[in-house]
Amino acid sequence: QVQLVESGGRLVQAGDSLRLSCAASGRTFSSYVMGWFRQAPGQEREFVATISRSGGSTYYKDSVKGRFTISRENAKNMLYLQMNSLKPEDTAVYYCAATRRAIMTYVKPDYDVWGQGTQVTVSS
């Protein structure tokens, strides 16, 4: 099973940009649809973005559309989340996740493997 490790989270100010990375181990990274989720204090873990196996298709939570970009480099076993124009409400622990489903999904239970999370804090 693939293993995932997120990095890049830190304290930033509103309006700043940040890129999160997710390093995947394993031989078949390109066989996984990937996603980013986030969890704020006292909240349920929520979907942020997903990307197809080839990287050719993406889908986003409405509130991040136009600000966040999910991408992947399959040759490097890497997943990214570029976050621009950050807002305090983006503050959360961000998780990358992998699913063996063939089609992009925003459904949390569809994801099989999760990283440990990386904290993003956006101050006002």
Side-chain angles (χ1 to χ4, degrees), residues 100-112:
R100 303 187 87 173
R101 296 174 68 92
I103 302 173
M104 292 186 298
T105 176
Y106 55 80
V107 180
K108 185 170 60 177
D110 286 345
Y111 286 84
D112 304 298

Side-chain angles (χ1 to χ4, degrees), residues 44-118:
E44 296 292 319
R45 193 171 299 183
E46 67 175 4
F47 167 78
V48 176
T50 185
I51 188 167
S52 63
R53 291 176 296 182
S54 69
S57 298
T58 59
Y59 181 78
Y60 300 90
K61 174 181 173 65
D62 285 345
S63 64
V64 309
K65 199 169 299 180
R67 298 190 297 121
F68 290 11
T69 302
I70 186 172
S71 62
R72 65 194 298 165
E73 293 184 86
N74 286 343
K76 297 181 178 180
N77 278 19
M78 293 294 293
L79 176 75
Y80 305 102
L81 185 67
Q82 177 66 46
M83 304 184 294
N84 299 327
S85 301
L86 282 163
K87 305 174 180 180
E89 49 262 47
D90 295 318
T91 295
V93 176
Y94 283 71
Y95 299 87
C96 65
T99 175
R100 303 187 87 173
R101 296 174 68 92
I103 302 173
M104 292 186 298
T105 176
Y106 55 80
V107 180
K108 185 170 60 177
D110 286 345
Y111 286 84
D112 304 298
V113 183
W114 297 82
Q116 84 289 349
T118 185

Side-chain angles (χ1 to χ4, degrees), residues 15-30:
D16 284 354
S17 295
L18 196 62
R19 189 179 78 161
L20 305 183
S21 298
C22 175
S25 65
R27 311 161 195 171
T28 56
F29 176 65
S30 63

